[in-house]
Amino acid sequence: ATDLQGNVIDINQAALELIEIERHDVIGQPLDKVFYLFDELSEVPIQHIWEASLKGLQTIVLSRNIKLRGKKATYHLSAKFSPIQDSSKTAHGVMVVFRDITGIRQREEQVYLYKMAIEQSPFSVIITDAKNRIVYVNPTFEKLTGYQQKEVLSKNPGIFGSGNTPRKTYQNLWDTL
């Protein structure tokens, strides 16, 4: 939490642990000095969001490409800046909630790499769900079979036994499934 000048007036233990700092080193310090936020892509510092939240009396959410530099590590974050208001809507500061999404971002990047590998594979790839409905085919599948993705999505792979697919190819598909 900050006061009206953006100085930290309170902080929880999780935030202290995230930036690896002691409480007495934080209280009274400017929020932008304590939490160094920057855009992951441009590396431009992100500052004075607390001020924009106060000025507009609105919650501001940062959720993409935001990083926090701590003493020993850098984290992917989502952040929410909300004005602290009394019943008469008078602002007294800003409440900031950070969420460490580093693990989520790492998994997203890994999934993206897998997707790129499958998309560029020289082999035909079909993915089905638990009910044996096609949920994905890669571009090589489209080239080799002549079927477009939109034609086969949600269909059972049994459609390849229509007589248009060579028996050996059809049998290989079912053996693999």
Side-chain angles (χ1 to χ4, degrees):
T2 75
D3 60 18
L4 290 171
Q5 291 74 42
N7 297 315
V8 177
I9 58 172
D10 198 10
I11 186 166
N12 68 8
Q13 189 61 37
L16 291 169
E17 290 171 8
L18 185 66
I19 59 172
E20 303 173 61
I21 198 166
E22 297 295 323
R23 182 180 188 77
H24 61 83
D25 293 327
V26 174
I27 302 299
Q29 295 298 311
L31 181 70
D32 291 334
K33 180 179 173 190
V34 174
F35 293 95
Y36 180 75
L37 299 176
F38 62 98
D39 181 277
E40 173 185 24
L41 303 175
S42 68
E43 297 192 9
V44 171
I46 299 170
Q47 298 181 323
H48 305 290
I49 302 300
W50 62 270
E51 198 170 20
S53 176
L54 274 178
K55 191 175 194 177
L57 291 179
Q58 63 183 355
T59 296
I60 298 175
V61 177
L62 306 176
S63 60
R64 296 298 296 165
N65 305 318
I66 306 303
K67 289 186 119 177
L68 167 73
R69 188 168 292 131
K71 280 188 177 180
K72 296 180 184 172
T74 301
Y75 305 93
H76 290 275
L77 287 185
S78 66
K80 183 177 172 180
F81 297 77
S82 302
I84 301 169
Q85 298 173 304
D86 60 24
S87 59
S88 67
K89 301 290 184 187
T90 301
H92 296 279
V94 175
M95 177 65 63
V96 183
V97 178
F98 293 121
R99 182 171 175 227
D100 180 1
I101 60 169
T102 304
I104 293 167
R105 287 297 304 274
Q106 288 170 341
R107 287 186 293 281
E108 285 175 347
E109 289 169 11
Q110 194 170 28
V111 167
Y112 176 77
L113 290 174
Y114 292 152
K115 184 178 187 298
M116 290 295 92
I118 290 169
E119 291 278 321
Q120 297 173 24
S121 173
F123 301 102
S124 179
V125 176
I126 302 170
I127 299 175
T128 61
D129 64 14
K131 293 182 181 178
N132 210 23
R133 292 179 298 215
I134 297 171
V135 295
Y136 173 84
V137 297
N138 71 345
T140 303
F141 167 89
E142 292 179 325
K143 283 185 219 161
L144 294 176
T145 66
Y147 289 99
Q148 296 297 308
Q149 187 176 52
K150 63 184 175 188
E151 294 177 86
V152 298
L153 288 181
S154 78
K155 303 263 193 303
N156 184 294
I159 66 169
F160 302 117
S162 63
N164 295 332
T165 303
R167 181 76 188 143
K168 184 177 179 179
T169 302
Y170 179 74
Q171 189 57 50
N172 286 340
L173 285 170
W174 275 104
D175 291 346
T176 301
L177 288 171

